[in-house]
Amino acid sequence: MDDLLSEFLTETTENLSVLDLELVKLEQNPDDPALLGNIFRLVHTIKGTCGFLGLPRLESVAHAAENVLGKIRDGELGVSAQAISLILESLDRVKTIMAALEATETEPAGDDADLIGRLNDLAAGRAAAPASAAPPAAAAPSEAAAAPAADIAAAAPAAESIESELPNEESEEAPAGAARPSEAGKEPSVAGQTIRVNVDLLENLMTMVSELVLTRNQLMQILRSQKDSEFTAPLQRLSHVTTELQEGVMKTRMQPIGNAWAKLPRLVRDLALELGKKLDLRMLGAETELDRQVLEMIKDPLTHMVRNSADHGIETPAERLKAGKPEQGTITLNAYHEGGHIVIEISDDGRGLALDKIRKKALSAGLATEAELAAMTDQQIQQFIFRAGFSTASQVTSVSGRGVGMDVVRTNIEKIGGTIELKSVAGKGSSFIIKIPLTLAIVSALIVECAGERFAIPQISVVELVRAAENSENRIERLHDTPVLRLRNRLLPLVSLQDLLRLGAPREASSETFIVVAQVGTYSFGIIVDRVFDTEEIVVKPVAPILRDITMFSGNTILGDGSVIMILDPNGIAAASGEKTVEEGGVREQVAARAEKGGEKTSLLLFRAGGEGPKAVPLALVARLEEVELQKIEESNGKPVVQYRGKLMPLVTIDPGYRLGKEGRQPVLVFADGERNMGLVVDEILDIVEEQLTVELAAERQGYIGSAIVAGKATDVIDAGYFLTLAFEDWFSPEAEAEDGGKRVLVVDDSPFFRNLLAPLLSVAGYRVTTVESADRALGLCEAGEDFDVIISDIEMPGMNGFQFAETVRGSTRWQNTPIVALSSHTTPKDLHRGREAGFADYVAKFDRDALLNTLSETLSLQKGAA
Amino acid sequence: MTHDLADPRRTKAANSSEGSDFVSIVIADQLFGIPVLQVQDVLGPQRITRVPLAPPEVAGSLNLRGRIVTAIDIRTRLGLPELADGKSRMSVVVDHGGELYSLMVDQVGEVLSLSPSAFERNPATLDPRWREVSAGIYRLDGSLLVVLDVARLLLLTSRAEAA
């Protein structure tokens, strides 16, 4: 029998028996408005549901009865024995129809005109004809069964309770009923076989069973250490019963995934009409069962993804024919069990993800720079769709493309300990693979040991185990302190659990370690542990509130031996390690961090030179990192130079007194300007970090902009411009500018750091630069008669902001024809639009050196063309 | 189930905090008292699982008859040096907001019934770290008893962690 129908029958039977009682009460207390309200509501619900299910006979009867009750409620009709009898009679009619409905799954033929006519007469205030004999109440047996549960159902809205149906009820009841319609009344009805149970009760049962499982595990552990115990047999039996009980209780919470899919065919049909596409939805494995809690959590994500496939994935029929595909696009949902997990695949045979669009969108949303994008694999680029606010639909349709989407899907799935993977082939289609645990309460976990402590890692994230030893083929190698492992021709980033959790006590160099290869999304990494034990079924318990901030743990549990153990959260570990390793996942995490905080972040190159403390330079200024052989250093004009790409490159040291060695190699930061290169000799390159920079200006020392806290350490930020002048005295000199005709640039930015960053950058590019810290100062220069070829202005500034500044300049100053370029960390299309309106010629992201230079030269050449 | 019991108990303990029964404990030779109604259990030395990255006051987690209990080292909380190795330690398990915490102390003594007349507020000169967690002082014969304010003892742990 159709799920919806059997649910309706259960619910309505309950409502009807409540109504019987309430109506009798109403007859005794005709003036109780609450009672009347309740009756009205119940009848209204029945009517509404009938209409929804397309049951016209039931609906019309219920409607007529509702009319009468409405009149009574409004005080137009008095509560009379006659009215109550008539309503009860109509309820009996409803029951009769329902009994037939239950047997045949269709409304029986019949005419209710007489009953409806009398109800309408009553509603209209006409004296009703004497009641004709009502048909017998065929559904009576079901009433009794449903009655105990009725009050729960009435009190709790439908969403609060679930139906726990007896096994096989659906498959056997329907054919039996269909075969013997005449006997339907005698058979235990659907309504009688199902009871409604409060979800809380089931949750409680589950908790108790979980505890029982733990205790059982403990007992079994004790038993194992004792030989020939008289407890062996009873404990074995206890163990069996516990397992069966656990399965039984888990079953009460299980629902077929088809329940979450029920609305999809309709959705797809409507979408097909709306979008003018031909869509076919195939659903495989709808009977696969999973925990209702999990089911609830994935319902919305699934709907969203099917919607996405229909809207973005599948092409229009014309496009499909052109691509040599059948006109009709297919969306396939497939669910199946796989080792304690449920796998759900949502795939379509559409056009696949448009990488170009994603790249563009990532760039314009400031999620990644062009350089970062260029270095990414296709798979990494596809991952952008899981980012907040990311939608490639160029048009906002009613279907999707509102920019909320896959990020929410991913968050929801990760919340329940699941993973989501994406595979997409251009022109062939995309498929999403969701892997979720069968139940949230009991999970299978791998027990590992590190520095004498044991931890559990959920099995769902574990891909494989690798034994690593010095002399075996799997050997841990190091890239400047970062451990990596060669695994089947791929470099796997490794995380040392010992370092990550600060377990201290550097373990004596043991000859072998184990690597747990874990996967979070598409990011694979290895967790280095000392030992690996068994897998164990564990009951996840939340950690104490004062420990909840530690993102490395998703919970804790008690093992069979009675000890408490922390459960590691692979997502947390990936996030923490991603910041350390600038690996595929690392880039993503950093980019994500930037997107989330929305603050101004700068990529900084950290190095050591002339002193112990770390030093930093904005990465945007550095052209390349090189290593020079000290033997090859020559001298020219009393200064060290090295042959580099067929030219002489001057070398500069941070500390003027620093003597270069004679042998070995030394890392060099290369700053480039067209033809010219300059090398800054450093001792060691430490790292590249992305940080929100707050520079404290303290630069009495030449060559330093100031100091900042980078990666938790006080770091000197060097002034690249100063070292450029050391290498080429004429680098910024007026002669050089005169040669290129040196365009004059005015930089308006309130941040001293950016002024100091931009000035050398632009100077290097051949501009004459003037910097001011506010719009007011810039306008002052205008009044003072200064002229510039182009103005670069920040948007967010104290006092007059960039937009106001641009409007003022455009309005009525001498500079009204000078192009203004906006410089901002926010480059959403909305900002761009607003910038254009305010009079900006162009809009550039703050950290994109190349884009800024390109924009400047374009703007200036446009200006020339116009002049 | 503990939820149901905890609330009335706590209210009662709060109402009668100035004249009631206390479980006496000793930490670094100082006598402390915890209102008896807040105490769930007294434990001998336990096997404790360390929790990496936790605040220093958190000694770890332990299994108390199937419930996971967070162990708090009161010595660390009060800024006292660690107990010399080898000595066994005892714990007092208290309920706070439905969660159980095991407070690790040097020794647990008997339950004392104290009269309100012996109660005094904290001396103004008390070490701020102690004043935070002390709900007042009882004058006993020959010694002083510091009433531990369990809620603040635990609350500050989480604040210290956030900082």
Side-chain angles (χ1 to χ4, degrees), chain A residues 714-728:
Chain A
T715 306
D716 290 326
V717 182
I718 66 156
D719 177 3
Y722 170 77
F723 294 103
L724 293 176
T725 55
L726 278 189
F728 299 99

Side-chain angles (χ1 to χ4, degrees), chain A residues 282-548:
Chain A
R282 293 174 59 209
M283 299 191 287
L284 308 171
E287 69 288 344
T288 313
E289 290 197 321
L290 74 169
D291 195 289
R292 63 160 283 281
Q293 203 181 345
V294 180
L295 194 76
E296 282 301 315
M297 298 283 284
I298 60 159
K299 215 181 217 171
D300 289 345
L302 280 181
T303 311
H304 187 87
M305 284 159 77
V306 168
R307 200 176 273 190
N308 262 352
S309 285
D311 191 18
H312 302 315
I314 306 279
E315 312 91 327
T316 60
E319 282 172 335
R320 289 185 66 88
L321 284 177
K322 217 158 85 189
K325 294 194 223 179
E327 220 181 346
Q328 188 172 49
T330 309
I331 300 171
T332 311
L333 288 170
N334 189 10
Y336 52 91
H337 285 268
E338 191 184 84
H341 302 130
I342 297 227
V343 180
I344 307 166
E345 292 175 6
I346 299 112
S347 47
D348 64 61
D349 63 349
R351 58 170 77 95
L353 289 176
L355 288 176
D356 283 344
K357 272 193 197 169
I358 298 177
R359 273 199 201 96
K360 257 185 220 151
K361 176 79 197 221
L363 204 58
S364 69
L367 293 173
T369 64
E370 227 157 322
E372 278 170 337
L373 284 175
M376 285 184 186
T377 63
D378 286 358
Q379 223 188 14
Q380 287 171 344
I381 287 170
Q382 289 170 358
Q383 297 301 318
F384 274 112
I385 64 161
F386 292 115
R387 205 63 64 64
F390 206 94
S391 170
T392 56
S394 43
Q395 233 177 329
V396 174
T397 64
S398 67
V399 181
S400 55
R402 284 175 300 269
V404 286
M406 293 310 293
D407 63 313
V408 180
V409 169
R410 179 174 152 175
T411 319
N412 272 1
I413 287 168
E414 280 178 1
K415 217 183 273 169
I416 53 174
T419 58
I420 179 162
E421 260 178 72
L422 160 66
K423 285 181 194 155
S424 174
V425 181
K428 288 270 162 60
S430 320
S431 80
F432 291 90
I433 297 144
I434 300 174
K435 206 172 166 190
I436 40 181
L438 205 53
T439 170
L440 299 185
I442 298 182
V443 301
S444 171
L446 184 71
I447 313 296
V448 299
E449 186 184 275
C450 185
E453 307 279 339
R454 285 186 300 170
F455 299 95
I457 304 176
Q459 195 80 47
I460 188 170
S461 318
V462 178
V463 183
E464 61 179 315
L465 292 174
V466 179
R467 180 178 154 274
E470 268 310 312
N471 46 12
S472 84
E473 61 179 300
N474 293 314
R475 193 163 53 85
I476 297 177
E477 296 173 72
R478 283 179 191 277
L479 278 178
H480 181 77
D481 283 351
T482 308
V484 291
L485 177 80
R486 284 181 217 219
L487 187 65
R488 287 185 291 274
N489 295 326
R490 270 199 60 205
L491 219 49
L492 186 77
L494 298 181
V495 181
S496 160
L497 201 56
Q498 189 179 327
D499 296 347
L500 194 68
L501 300 181
R502 285 183 237 128
L503 293 171
R507 160 177 48 89
E508 74 282 8
S510 113
S511 58
E512 63 166 25
T513 50
F514 289 89
I515 291 160
V516 179
V517 182
Q519 188 162 22
V520 173
T522 54
Y523 174 45
S524 305
F525 62 100
I527 305 170
I528 307 175
V529 300
D530 298 348
R531 287 174 72 189
V532 173
F533 299 96
D534 225 349
T535 55
E536 203 167 316
E537 296 271 292
I538 56 169
V539 179
V540 181
K541 293 165 178 246
V543 292
I546 55 171
L547 301 175
R548 263 179 211 153

Side-chain angles (χ1 to χ4, degrees), chain A residues 17 56 88 167 347 566 722 763 785 861:
Chain A
S17 47
L88 282 173
S347 47
M566 303 302 294
Y722 170 77
S763 306
S861 59

